[in-house]
Amino acid sequence: SPTLPPSQLAPYLEDFSPPAVAAHSLVAPEPLAQAMGRFLRRWRYLKPALNGNDLQRLGVAPGPEMGRLLQLLRSARLDGQVRSRQQEEELVREWRKGRRG
């Protein structure tokens, strides 16, 4: 659906090859076609500024939680909730605070 935020639409589109997404965008309804174009131009390349080493430095242990946190950071980037490395670090701190109860 075109009303889905980028963080929910991008993982779905990543299951398909870029040529398949481009071909489908030609017949998709306009809002969805526009979102597919944004995926092809920007969203598929968007990654968090922080990586696993950065997360370890911030006190996150390697493992499944780190993977979930990296996905959370990418989703926040896709949806425009964070725009800088500093904002990502703040999100990690808030996440860790919430995990401790």
Side-chain angles (χ1 to χ4, degrees):
S1 162
T3 59
L4 286 176
S7 64
Q8 291 184 27
L9 189 58
Y12 172 76
L13 294 176
E14 286 163 355
D15 288 341
F16 301 95
S17 70
V21 174
H24 190 71
S25 74
L26 298 174
V27 296
E30 192 52 38
L32 183 56
Q34 288 176 356
M36 291 172 141
R38 283 191 291 277
F39 169 79
L40 290 170
R41 289 188 308 276
R42 286 197 314 264
W43 297 347
R44 68 187 176 129
Y45 302 112
L46 198 56
K47 297 201 176 359
L50 301 179
N51 61 31
N53 291 333
D54 297 319
L55 293 183
Q56 277 188 272
R57 184 178 48 77
L58 292 168
V60 179
E65 281 196 345
M66 182 179 283
R68 284 191 290 275
L69 187 51
L70 286 168
Q71 186 57 51
L72 174 77
L73 289 171
R74 181 167 189 253
S75 293
R77 276 273 176 178
L78 281 165
D79 292 346
Q81 296 167 335
V82 296
R83 290 187 164 82
S84 69
R85 182 182 186 93
Q86 208 169 5
Q87 288 177 329
E88 285 185 17
E89 288 180 2
E90 186 56 36
L91 185 64
V92 170
R93 286 188 194 94
E94 290 298 315
W95 183 84
R96 290 196 68 229
K97 206 182 299 179
R99 301 296 290 183
R100 287 194 294 261

